[in-house]
Amino acid sequence: MTDPRARHQELVQEIEAHRHAYYAEDAPTVSDAEYDALERELRELEALHPELATPESPTQTVGGTVALGFASVTHRERMMSLDNAFSLEDVEAWLARVEREAGPQPVVCEPKIDGLSISLTYEHGELTRGVTRGDGTTGEDVTANVLTIAGLPRTLAGEHVPALVEVRGEVYLPVAAFEELNARLLEEGKAPYANPRNTAAGSLRQKDAAVTATRPLAVTTYALGALDWGDGAPDPRVGSQHGIYAMLESWGLPVTAHARVVEGVDAVDAYLRELESGRHAMVHEIDGAVLKVDDRAVQGQLGSTSRAPRWAIAYKFPPEEVHTTLEDIRVDVGRTGRVTPYGVMTPVTVAGSTVTYATLHNAHEVARKGVRIGDTVVLRKAGDVIPEIVGPVVAARTGAEREWTMPTACPSCGTELVEQKEGDKDLRCPNAQFCPAQIVDRIAFIGSRGAFDVEVLGEKAAAALAESGVLENEAGLFDLTQDDLRRVPLFVLEKDSKVGV
Ligand code: IVH
C-alpha cells in the first residue's frame, strides 16, 4: 500500500501540471478522460482521508490561471466549475441528493459545449469587457479579442436591459470552421491544430486581436454572474433557468437551441441518449450535457461548494479522443500492390471498441501528422468512423522517439517501389505477378464477402495456402483438390470441409 499522503501529493502535482498545460498553454498533455480519472482518484482519496482536502487541493479549486501578458480582472461574481457525472447512476445519485433537500425538481438539460468559458460584462447594454475564467476569482482581460467575435452583439437589444450584467458562456470554434482552418494551414505547409477546443482557446488568448479576428469564433451564453438592474429591483427578476435563456435571447445573445426542461431520471436518460446520438450533427463539439435545477430559488437553497454549484452537474460522454503510444509504424502490401503505412499502438478503448491499428495512408500523411515511433499520440474514433491517429502529443516527448522512413523496396518481395501514378503520394509494388503479399491478399479477397464469400477462406487460410506451395497464385485456387488441401497445415483437420471453390 502506498502512503496516502505521498499519493495525494503525487496526484496534486500531476493534476496541477496538466491544468497548466490545458488552461495556460492551450496544449493538453493528457486526454480529458485520463485527466478526469486523476481528479476522481484524488476525490476518492480525500473522501477516505478528509484531512488531505485542504482549500488548495485541486478538488476545491477551479482550473486556470492568468497568463503573463494579459491584464488580470476580478470577476464581480465568481466563475464556477462543474462536478462531473460519468454514468446514469451518478446522475441518479445527484438527482436523489437534490430531491432529499428540495423535493422533486424539474431540470434543464443542455449540451456541454467543448470550448472555453467567458464572462461578458454589459454596462447599460454595452459590451465593455470579456474575461476568461482564470482561477474563478480573477481571469484574463480578452476584451479586444472578444470584440472580434461576429455573432456577439456589442449592444443588448430590448428595452429592459440592466445597468450591469455579467453574462457567462462558452467560446467555441464551429467544427466546419476548424476543418477549413486546418485545410488552409496544411495547404500553406503549416502544422494543423489538434481539435476545435484548443484552437478556440489559442485563438481567443492571442496577444494580437488581429489574429483572433481571422478565426470565426462563436459564443453560446448560458448563465448570469453579477446582475444589477439599476432600478433597485431585486434579483431574481427571472425565477427559472429556462427563463434566463429566454431573457438572454431577448437581449439578442446567442443561446442553445437544444435546452429542454425535464423531470425524473428516465426523462434525463432519454435526453442524454438523444443528445449523444446527434452530437456529430451539431455545429460545435460537445463533450456531454449539463443538468441544472430549473428553479432559481432552489438553486440558491442548494448553494455551492468552493468550486462548483450543487444545483448543476456535468454528464460526460465516453471519450472519443484518447491518448496511447505509437509502438511502431509498419507497411502493408495490398492486393493491388499499394503499400500502406499503418500505426501499431498500445491497445486502447475508444468510443466503445479496442483499437490497436490505424492506417496512416501514405508516407506523405505520416510526415504531415508529424508522428514518430514511440510518440504519445491522440487517437480519435468518432461514433462509427474509422479510428484515426490525429497527431503526436509533442509536449509528452522524451527524446527517445524515432523518425520513421518509408521503405524504398517492397517488404514482401524486395522489388523497388514505384509511384502509383506519376506524382502520386501512394507507392506501389510493381511485382504484381510474384509478390507473395499481393498473392495472399488476392486469394483472401476471392474468399471475402465482396467476392465468392467462402467462409473458411480468410486471411490466415490464404497465407497458409500460399506458403504451403500447393498453388502459385490465385488462379491455382480453382484447380485445388482435397489432396492438395491435406498438405496445407490449416486444413489438415478439416478433411470434409468444402474448401474446394
Ligand atoms: S454552466 C455555475 N453550462 O463546462 C455553472 N457550463 O466543466 C457554470 N460548459 O466552466 C457553468 N457548456 O466552461 C455551463 N451549457 C453549459 C456549459 C458549460 C460548457 C463549461 C463551462 C464550465 C465547464 C465545467
Side-chain angles (χ1 to χ4, degrees):
M1 278 288 284
T2 45
D3 169 24
R5 188 167 292 276
R7 180 64 187 148
H8 187 269
Q9 197 180 355
E10 216 172 79
L11 282 169
V12 168
Q13 275 172 5
E14 211 174 320
I15 289 171
E16 295 293 359
H18 293 324
R19 280 187 172 182
H20 183 81
Y22 186 92
Y23 290 111
E25 310 286 341
D26 303 323
T29 36
V30 287
S31 67
D32 289 1
E34 284 169 284
Y35 177 82
D36 287 341
L38 291 172
E39 259 202 21
R40 192 151 32 156
E41 187 186 341
L42 189 66
R43 211 171 285 281
E44 284 164 4
L45 192 64
E46 290 182 357
L48 290 173
H49 305 277
E51 73 280 4
L52 297 176
T54 61
E56 300 78 44
S57 165
T59 61
Q60 313 298 314
T61 61
V62 168
T65 49
V66 176
L68 287 172
F70 289 102
S72 106
V73 177
T74 304
H75 301 297
R76 286 189 165 82
E77 195 171 294
R78 221 150 43 88
M79 286 183 86
M80 300 266 207
S81 184
L82 291 169
D83 285 337
N84 291 325
F86 297 98
S87 64
L88 198 62
E89 289 73 55
D90 291 351
V91 170
E92 237 176 326
W94 174 74
L95 280 173
R97 210 174 330 126
V98 168
E99 188 169 340
R100 246 190 338 269
E101 292 204 21
Q105 291 296 322
V107 164
V108 178
C109 302
E110 61 191 67
K112 184 173 191 304
I113 301 161
D114 203 4
L116 70 155
S117 37
I118 190 84
S119 181
L120 305 160
T121 305
Y122 284 89
E123 291 175 83
H124 302 286
E126 295 301 315
L127 178 57
T128 52
R129 211 152 225 187
V131 187
T132 64
R133 189 177 71 182
D135 65 4
T137 303
T138 49
E140 298 153 326
D141 187 342
V142 287
T143 308
N145 312 50
V146 157
L147 286 169
T148 69
I149 300 177
L152 190 66
R154 289 178 179 220
T155 309
L156 296 182
E159 281 165 27
H160 299 288
V161 297
L164 183 138
V165 62
E166 284 177 325
V167 176
R168 268 77 194 265
E170 201 81 357
V171 176
Y172 62 89
L173 189 65
V175 177
F178 167 74
E179 280 166 3
E180 226 165 86
L181 174 65
N182 264 0
R184 201 172 67 224
L185 288 172
L186 284 174
E187 231 163 72
E188 292 166 5
K190 295 184 187 147
Y193 284 101
N195 62 46
R197 193 267 160 201
N198 296 328
T199 318
S203 303
L204 187 71
R205 300 173 71 250
Q206 283 285 335
K207 306 284 156 61
D208 181 0
V211 178
T212 312
T214 67
R215 308 280 166 81
L217 294 170
V219 180
T220 293
T221 59
Y222 49 61
L224 295 175
L227 175 63
D228 174 9
W229 286 99
D231 56 6
D235 178 52
R237 181 170 285 199
V238 179
S240 66
Q241 187 69 28
H242 75 269
I244 290 179
Y245 298 161
M247 183 169 73
L248 292 171
E249 198 173 11
S250 77
W251 289 338
L253 289 165
V255 294
T256 179
H258 302 278
R260 197 188 300 159
V261 185
V262 305
E263 237 179 301
V265 71
D266 291 343
V268 171
D269 184 29
Y271 177 88
L272 296 176
R273 283 164 194 263
E274 198 182 312
L275 186 69
E276 188 168 8
S277 70
R279 71 187 283 193
H280 298 296
M282 300 184 98
V283 293
H284 47 60
E285 290 207 320
I286 63 172
D287 56 348
V290 182
L291 315 178
K292 299 172 179 169
V293 169
D294 193 37
D295 189 319
R296 290 191 80 202
V298 176
Q299 290 182 358
Q301 183 190 336
L302 291 167
S304 307
T305 65
S306 60
R307 53 161 254 137
R310 288 197 191 85
W311 49 265
I313 197 159
Y315 170 83
K316 294 280 200 83
F317 292 146
E320 293 189 324
E321 239 177 59
V322 295
H323 289 193
T324 184
T325 306
L326 180 63
E327 290 177 358
D328 200 3
I329 297 177
R330 295 184 196 151
V331 292
D332 175 65
V333 185
R335 80 186 145 87
T336 61
R338 187 175 153 185
V339 180
T340 312
Y342 64 97
V344 184
M345 292 157 294
T346 308
V348 65
T349 307
V350 55
S353 58
T354 304
V355 177
T356 310
Y357 307 104
T359 182
L360 285 161
H361 304 288
N362 53 51
H364 183 82
E365 274 288 293
V366 178
R368 179 176 83 76
K369 290 183 194 285
V371 286
R372 300 178 189 164
I373 296 167
D375 261 338
T376 298
V377 290
V378 177
L379 180 74
R380 184 177 166 82
K381 180 172 180 287
D384 293 334
V385 177
I386 295 164
E388 184 202 0
I389 294 171
V390 179
V393 181
V394 176
R397 283 196 174 142
T398 63
E401 299 78 15
R402 282 185 293 120
E403 293 267 6
W404 172 84
T405 44
M406 183 75 178
T408 52
C410 174
S412 179
C413 68
T415 307
E416 195 174 327
L417 302 178
V418 295
E419 286 173 352
Q420 185 108 331
K421 288 188 261 45
E422 198 167 305
D424 209 346
K425 285 169 186 158
D426 293 328
L427 290 186
R428 186 172 67 81
C429 165
N431 183 18
Q433 218 182 338
F434 301 110
C435 173
Q438 293 185 53
I439 292 170
V440 169
D441 251 31
R442 286 201 298 266
I443 295 173
F445 175 70
I446 287 170
S448 73
R449 207 169 293 171
F452 288 87
D453 196 9
V454 184
E455 206 175 309
V456 292
L457 189 56
E459 270 170 40
K460 279 197 184 126
L465 280 167
E467 276 161 28
S468 65
V470 298
L471 40 73
E472 242 170 49
N473 55 39
E474 66 277 17
L477 265 182
F478 298 89
D479 302 320
L480 280 179
T481 63
Q482 290 283 339
D483 263 355
D484 288 336
L485 286 180
R486 282 193 195 100
R487 287 167 44 211
V488 183
L490 205 70
F491 293 106
V492 168
L493 298 173
E494 302 175 35
K495 271 195 195 137
D496 300 320
S497 72
K498 303 184 196 78
V499 170
V501 285

